[in-house]
Amino acid sequence: MGRSGADGPAPAGPVPATTTPDVDDGGRGAVVPGAEGLDAELLARFDVAREAAAADGIELRITSGRRSAAEQQRLLDEAIARDGLDRARRTVLPPEVSAHVAGTAIDVGPREGAAWLEERSSEVGLCRTYENEWWHFELVGAVGERCPTMRADASHGWE
């Protein structure tokens, strides 16, 4: 997740905001930072979650959304150079298997918002997928379905 997340190096401290421009949410009346290129269903589910979190007094925002294959490759190359291949494989997926490149994954923050989202994952249909990444959520299954068991890390994508 580069700036944060399972498809990039884990953040050191708070998850920084993405540099992705604000994008119209498709007529729902709000602008969602970090939404450019995301799957429409993921964005709709996030919008519902963001509004519900706000009603509970919790901030929830996208810190990293869709990435280009080139950006994901850059994050992978940086992680390998910094951490070595074995460690990088646990935190960064190659572009061809990255849910961020597919537009079906988001990193969220702040931590309190991510915890709120995880508690309500099945209600909104966004699931935390990696045990080692509290900020990474994916479009998995239908709203109301139980989320799949989390994987320990992103190394499964290298198999």
Side-chain angles (χ1 to χ4, degrees):
M1 317 248 130
R3 290 181 277 286
S4 61
D7 292 327
V15 179
T18 183
T19 57
T20 304
D22 291 353
V23 176
D24 187 350
D25 69 351
R28 288 186 298 276
V31 173
V32 179
E36 184 174 275
L38 288 175
D39 178 274
E41 182 65 21
L42 182 148
L43 184 55
R45 291 180 190 187
F46 176 77
D47 195 41
V48 167
R50 182 175 51 99
E51 289 177 13
D56 286 347
I58 304 293
E59 178 187 6
L60 180 61
R61 67 179 182 278
I62 296 173
T63 60
S64 183
R66 188 190 175 285
R67 301 187 192 130
S68 69
E71 181 181 10
Q72 188 68 23
Q73 186 63 53
R74 179 185 55 78
L75 295 172
L76 176 57
D77 293 344
E78 289 172 358
I80 292 170
R82 182 184 60 249
D83 303 325
L85 180 59
D86 287 341
R87 186 164 180 223
R89 289 170 56 130
R90 293 191 306 264
T91 58
V92 187
L93 287 170
E96 59 273 11
V97 294
S98 168
H100 278 286
V101 173
T104 59
I106 54 174
D107 295 342
V108 302
R111 192 171 196 135
E112 181 182 23
W116 182 97
L117 183 57
E118 184 176 355
E119 289 174 11
R120 292 156 185 84
S121 316
S122 64
E123 293 171 33
V124 297
L126 295 174
C127 298
R128 184 173 155 216
T129 53
Y130 299 112
E131 291 176 5
N132 68 331
E133 296 183 0
W134 57 262
W135 54 86
H136 180 84
F137 289 79
E138 295 185 21
L139 180 63
V140 180
V143 172
E145 286 184 3
R146 185 180 177 119
C147 288
T149 302
M150 278 188 257
R151 297 178 184 266
D153 56 39
S155 60
H156 71 92
W158 289 83
E159 297 170 356

